Amino acid sequence: MRRIIPLLVVILAASALPMAPALAGGYSYGTTVYPTGTSFAQDPTVWLYLQASSPSAIQVNLTLSTGQTMAMTYNPSLDVASVLLPTPPAAGTQVTGDVSITDPGYTTEVLPVSFTEASQPISPQPESLAGWQFATLLNRSRTAEGLPTLSYDQTLAAASMAHATYYQTYANSLYATGTFSLHDESQTYPVGYTGDTPDQRDLAVGAVISGIDIEVLATGRQTVVQAYRALMDTTFHRFGLLSAQISQIGVGWQPAVGSVPSIAVSDISGNAALSVTPPAEMLFPVQGATDVPLSYTGESPNPLSGIRSDAQLPSDPAGYPVSISFSSLVVSSVQISSAQLTDASGVVPTYLIDGSTYTDNNPVYSGESMARGAALFAQSPLTPGTVYTAAFSGTETLTSGASQPFNALWSFTTRPTASLTAAYLVGSTLVVTGHQLDLPSTPQPTLLGPSATATQTWTVTSHTASTTFAALPSLTGVSLNGQTVPISPAPFSDLGQASWAAQPIISAWDRQVVQGVGHGLFAPLSPVTGLQAITLIYRQIGSPGVAINPVASSLPVWSQAAVSWALAANLITPQFVPSLTLAAPRDSVVQWLMQGEGVAPLSTPPPFSDASQIPTADAGYVAAGAAMGVVNGFPNGTFQPASVTTRAAMVKLLYAFFLPNMP
């Protein structure tokens, strides 16, 4: 299989909204009313930046040239006045009018409104599975750093997906030379064009950006999880993703198509004046992290540009970047006095990159700074399975103007070498289990046996990989990194009844999420009960600690913690608990899984012909699952909410939501 060297390019671009230079009476305002130019939003919101000394007194009205007048809602927490147009404008029409800002006793200001609705408006993009994966992994890292989590925004997702599609359209033309920023678009190449820059595209699809606006992207990765990992394995991108000022995220993911590489685009925004209490410093990897990657293979702009070239890094990588960064809400600059990385053998030779050693000289991806951060790069890849200790000290200058010293000391452990533990053949599907199987740098497992083929396409997670053959092969074993494991009998003898779920079932069994029914059987086509379904979801998310609810105390011991968790998380009501011993209906299983994984329900109806038969409480979650591509109907277009879910189908649903632990 041809291996594409991943290209990673990201810029962190902050929007700068035009502002009135001084207070006009008791308020200040943005000089631009959005949208402007061409609006690609299917349902445009008219809005402007506004700050008022008396929020209850301020009145903002939109008057269209048609004579229609409507009040705009002022949100002082976002510094925004906005109104959703009650009737979407027809495609290709121009919308004009003005916005008046009135505060009793002060001057009334009037600002023009003018935009043209695009001939092909873009709908908000519901959260996809790829978007959920990216956002969930990022929120895990933010939670570990003591930062607030991000909410998913459908307009940002629409802008991200539009740009991902645009990139793939012109990957081999506009972007092929490397002289044009992957974050920009050009009207010279009009197919799918929505705006020159990330902030223009976000505004064009209807995003309300009252402060910071960031875009990150990675190309050439097999999965969106690998794309996310690639971004967090850098410096500038990591610093942006761990900003205390961001609050919303949207993700667009397009897998590779032929010679066109994959791309993950994430647009992220927030209020620059967001009132949060950020941590004193953000250390990455976090204290006690495990499975930390070994090497750094580059980013643009490259913080090592003054030391090593991008061309060197893939073939001779530096060590994984270990960083410290500070929030711009608290710290204006930082000066590093000492920094070192040590292992059991002593001090590791490193490159220190900080404000004094990094110079921004990249003409395509410019604007990055190490003013509030620093990173240590070992001069060669880190050693697998090793504990490292990082130490930084220096002086931070606060936004108040004061200065104070800081000292940071923490440890982490690198990931072990990718390895195999077992290999199973279920029909014509080969499933292997092991460690770190999803890394781009992991060699493809080698098949051993008389009919083994040299090239196969593997589906991977962090600890399982599978490939399906056109015909039943004759294999004796599988080899990886010099280690060979023989073909073993599958953990359950009846998996052939649902070979389409062989990898999910073996993966869940390997992670101790599922067990068999005894006598070496899994019973893949048997219905799953409510108790079993909720217990599987509970194990999937890591079995969080919970006090046993008295309502659950009479249930089987193996289910009591899971049901107590489901009650605390409002997945179920106490009145519903007695019915959990029965086969679980499809609509309930989807609701439990979506809600348990933090997926918000959609307000749109599910795309099934019998959607009216789905209980109202579950319909939004079924719609969300369908939009994510993990909930499917039957061939006749129905969902059949009251039908039972089989054990195999339940595990396959869980498998779609499995994410590896990340540093």
Side-chain angles (χ1 to χ4, degrees), residues 333-585:
S333 64
V334 62
Q335 198 167 30
I336 304 296
S337 58
S338 66
Q340 70 175 18
L341 188 66
T342 58
D343 60 15
S345 301
V347 178
V348 177
T350 57
Y351 307 117
L352 172 63
I353 307 299
D354 61 5
S356 66
T357 57
Y358 175 73
T359 301
D360 178 17
N361 57 7
N362 189 310
V364 180
Y365 303 100
S366 59
E368 300 302 344
S369 169
M370 283 281 182
R372 288 184 300 275
L376 278 175
F377 297 80
Q379 295 182 14
S380 58
L382 303 179
T383 304
T386 300
V387 177
Y388 286 87
T389 299
F392 287 83
S393 62
T395 303
E396 55 189 25
T397 301
L398 308 181
T399 53
S400 64
S403 296
Q404 63 185 31
F406 72 88
N407 293 280
L409 179 71
W410 76 103
S411 299
F412 59 88
T413 305
T414 53
R415 63 171 47 115
T417 302
S419 61
L420 301 178
T421 55
Y424 310 100
L425 194 59
V426 180
S428 57
T429 297
L430 173 68
V431 181
V432 298
T433 61
H435 303 285
Q436 311 306 335
L437 299 180
D438 66 335
L439 298 181
S441 59
T442 298
Q444 181 174 289
T446 301
L447 309 182
L448 307 176
S451 66
T453 55
T455 302
Q456 291 291 329
T457 299
W458 292 80
T459 300
V460 294
T461 68
S462 64
H463 63 93
T464 63
S466 73
T467 186
T468 300
F469 303 87
L472 182 65
S474 176
L475 302 176
T476 59
V478 183
S479 177
L480 178 67
N481 288 333
Q483 174 196 23
T484 298
V485 295
I487 302 295
S488 302
F492 306 106
S493 61
D494 57 352
L495 293 188
Q497 298 175 15
S499 57
W500 47 270
Q503 182 181 9
I505 292 171
I506 291 175
S507 174
W509 169 78
D510 189 57
R511 291 183 284 118
Q512 300 182 337
V513 172
V514 302
Q515 300 171 349
V517 296
H519 307 290
L521 301 176
F522 184 75
L525 302 184
S526 296
V528 66
T529 68
L531 284 180
Q532 292 168 339
I534 285 178
T535 300
L536 291 176
I537 296 169
Y538 175 70
R539 291 174 183 169
Q540 166 93 341
I541 66 171
S543 301
V546 63
I548 301 301
N549 189 305
V551 175
S553 60
S554 62
L555 298 173
V557 173
W558 54 265
S559 67
Q560 290 179 3
V563 173
S564 298
W565 163 78
L567 287 165
N570 295 316
L571 270 65
I572 56 174
T573 62
Q575 295 76 17
F576 193 84
V577 170
S579 67
L580 291 177
T581 58
L582 305 176

Side-chain angles (χ1 to χ4, degrees), residues 70-149:
M70 59 204 79
M72 300 177 69
T73 301
Y74 174 51
N75 187 333
S77 64
L78 294 179
D79 295 331
V80 163
S82 65
V83 63
L84 175 68
L85 294 185
T87 302
T93 61
Q94 186 175 25
V95 177
T96 58
D98 59 56
V99 167
S100 62
I101 312 171
T102 303
D103 192 345
Y106 298 99
T107 303
T108 294
E109 296 294 328
V110 178
L111 300 172
V113 174
S114 179
F115 66 90
T116 300
E117 183 72 355
S119 58
Q120 293 183 319
I122 298 174
S123 303
Q125 182 81 26
E127 187 172 15
S128 63
L129 179 61
W132 176 86
Q133 291 173 331
F134 191 106
T136 299
L137 288 172
L138 176 54
N139 280 332
R140 283 186 189 175
S141 292
R142 291 179 62 84
T143 298
E145 296 282 1
L147 292 165
T149 58

Side-chain angles (χ1 to χ4, degrees), residues 17 127 187 292 402 548:
L17 298 177
E127 187 172 15
Q187 287 183 296
V292 173
I548 301 301

Side-chain angles (χ1 to χ4, degrees), residues 136-206:
T136 299
L137 288 172
L138 176 54
N139 280 332
R140 283 186 189 175
S141 292
R142 291 179 62 84
T143 298
E145 296 282 1
L147 292 165
T149 58
L150 308 181
S151 61
Y152 204 83
D153 185 275
Q154 294 188 18
T155 56
L156 293 175
S160 299
M161 182 59 79
H163 185 56
T165 303
Y166 184 88
Y167 163 78
Q168 286 202 323
T169 301
Y170 297 112
N172 294 326
S173 52
L174 177 62
Y175 300 110
T177 63
T179 58
F180 189 81
S181 168
L182 268 66
H183 293 276
D184 293 339
E185 296 181 8
S186 171
Q187 287 183 296
T188 306
Y189 296 77
V191 178
Y193 172 86
T194 53
D196 284 0
T197 61
D199 56 329
Q200 290 176 4
R201 295 191 294 271
D202 289 345
L203 293 168
V205 300

